[in-house]
């Protein structure tokens, strides 16, 4: 019975942490996606993308595509933290080094999360890619989802387009994020003796590992955005994850695989710290009060 209750706490805390993080960081996610899709042809950089979005679409324009991640955040983050704890228990064996077992648990929880989140990502990218259209004029999330399913189907050519790149993005990010955080957590002051230092220590560590994970996994993120977003001349040239990476490298150079890195770090660096602190705070509260 206690295991069921603890699982429910993990699901609830994970969902709450994700909702807080996405609401705070959505504008940076929109800028990241637009830089990855449009690149140098539309935007000169983060500041140019920000100013053009603000000028043509206003502040609400930064929240285009927010409904899919909000709808997905509870199952997404709940899946992330719940499955990480389950995989962690599976690999918690004397013969497996702790650093490896935590990273492996993060990798597998990322794969699981990617399967849950992929359809929401496809819809979100379609909505975020529509520049120069006000939020009021834009089609609803449900309409776009229906159009994708009707014209392209349910599989990896439709609502699950870009699944391999999504698996890579989430798998690598969670592997680095959880592996590094839990192996370096000993550096954070104990909260019973230094609550303030513990809070800022966890935020700082979460920021650092979130930044590292975002830097390592961004080629998968670029590939995902290219596959799921509008295609050049409405002719599909981006198909698979590694085919897309190779094509981007050959036509635009190595640096193109890191497009959107600055807004991604600006979002997932602090977002990584916020998410972990929110999760642990809500989980601890639930453990004391339920």
């Amino acid at each position: 019975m206690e295991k069921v209750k603890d699982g429910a706490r993990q699901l609830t805390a994970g969902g709450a942490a994700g909702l807080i993080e996405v609401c705070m960081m959505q504008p940076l996610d929109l800028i990241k996606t637009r830089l990855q899709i449009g690149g140098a042809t539309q935007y000169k950089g983060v500041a140019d993308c920000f100013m053009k979005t603000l000028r043509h679409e206003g502040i609400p324009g930064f929240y285009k595509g927010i409904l899919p991640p909000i709808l997905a955040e509870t199952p997404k983050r709940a899946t992330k933290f719940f499955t990480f704890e389950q995989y962690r228990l599976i690999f918690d064996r004397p013969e497996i080094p702790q650093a490896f077992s935590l990273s492996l648990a993060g990798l597998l929880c990322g794969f699981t999360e990617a399967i849950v989140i992929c359809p929401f990502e496809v819809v979100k990218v379609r909505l975020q890619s529509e520049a120069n259209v006000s939020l009021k004029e834009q089609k609803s999330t449900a309409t776009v989802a229906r159009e994708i399913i009707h014209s392209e189907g349910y599989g990896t050519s439709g609502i699950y387009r870009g699944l391999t790149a999504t698996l890579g993005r989430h798998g690598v990010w969670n592997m680095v994020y959880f592996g590094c955080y839990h192996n370096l957590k000993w550096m954070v002051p104990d909260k019973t003796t230094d609550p303030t230092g513990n809070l800022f220590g966890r935020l700082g560590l979460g920021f650092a590992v979130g930044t590292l994970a975002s830097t390592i996994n961004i080629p998968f993120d670029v590939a995902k955005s290219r596959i799921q977003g509008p295609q050049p001349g409405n002719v599909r040239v981006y198909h698979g994850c590694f085919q897309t990476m190779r094509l981007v490298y050959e036509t635009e150079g190595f640096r193109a695989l890191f497009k959107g890195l600055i807004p991604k770090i600006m979002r997932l660096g602090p977002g990584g710290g916020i998410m972990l602190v929110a999760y642990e705070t809500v989980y601890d509260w639930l453990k004391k009060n339920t």
Side-chain angles (χ1 to χ4, degrees), residues 49-225:
C49 183
F50 176 86
M51 293 307 299
K52 283 181 177 177
T53 301
L54 182 63
R55 184 164 57 248
H56 296 296
E57 303 163 61
I59 292 176
F62 290 102
Y63 290 88
K64 283 182 175 178
I66 194 173
L67 187 56
I70 284 180
L71 292 174
E73 276 314 308
T74 298
K76 175 184 175 181
R77 302 305 189 191
T79 299
K80 177 198 290 287
F81 286 101
F82 176 73
T83 57
F84 172 74
E85 296 296 342
Q86 306 316 305
Y87 289 130
R88 184 180 179 180
L89 291 174
I90 292 172
F91 298 116
D92 186 16
R93 299 181 180 182
E95 66 269 21
I96 303 177
Q98 186 183 48
F100 180 73
S101 67
L102 290 167
S103 297
L104 186 57
L107 177 67
L108 293 179
C109 91
F111 286 164
T112 309
E113 179 187 42
I115 294 170
V116 173
I117 201 66
C118 188
F120 296 94
E121 286 290 317
V122 171
V123 176
K124 184 197 75 170
V125 169
R126 294 287 178 92
L127 291 168
Q128 288 183 336
S129 65
E130 292 183 348
N132 303 322
V133 177
S134 71
L135 191 62
K136 290 181 180 179
E137 296 171 337
Q138 194 173 47
K139 295 176 182 177
S140 71
T141 298
T143 298
V144 173
R146 284 195 300 269
E147 287 180 354
I148 293 171
I149 292 170
H150 178 73
S151 61
E152 301 170 35
Y154 287 96
T156 53
S157 295
I159 201 68
Y160 267 91
R161 184 179 298 278
L163 177 60
T164 304
T166 307
L167 287 167
R169 185 182 80 155
H170 288 265
V172 170
W173 198 89
N174 284 285
M175 178 180 69
V176 176
Y177 182 69
F178 283 115
C180 291
Y181 181 79
H182 287 285
N183 280 297
L184 297 175
K185 201 175 177 181
W186 60 269
M187 300 169 61
V188 177
D190 185 84
K191 62 182 175 183
T192 57
T193 56
D194 186 2
T196 303
N198 178 266
L199 173 62
F200 286 106
R202 285 187 293 157
L203 283 170
L205 181 57
F207 177 89
V209 299
T211 299
L212 178 62
S214 299
T215 304
I216 292 173
N217 89 326
I218 194 166
F220 291 98
D221 201 359
V222 171
K224 185 192 78 69
S225 293

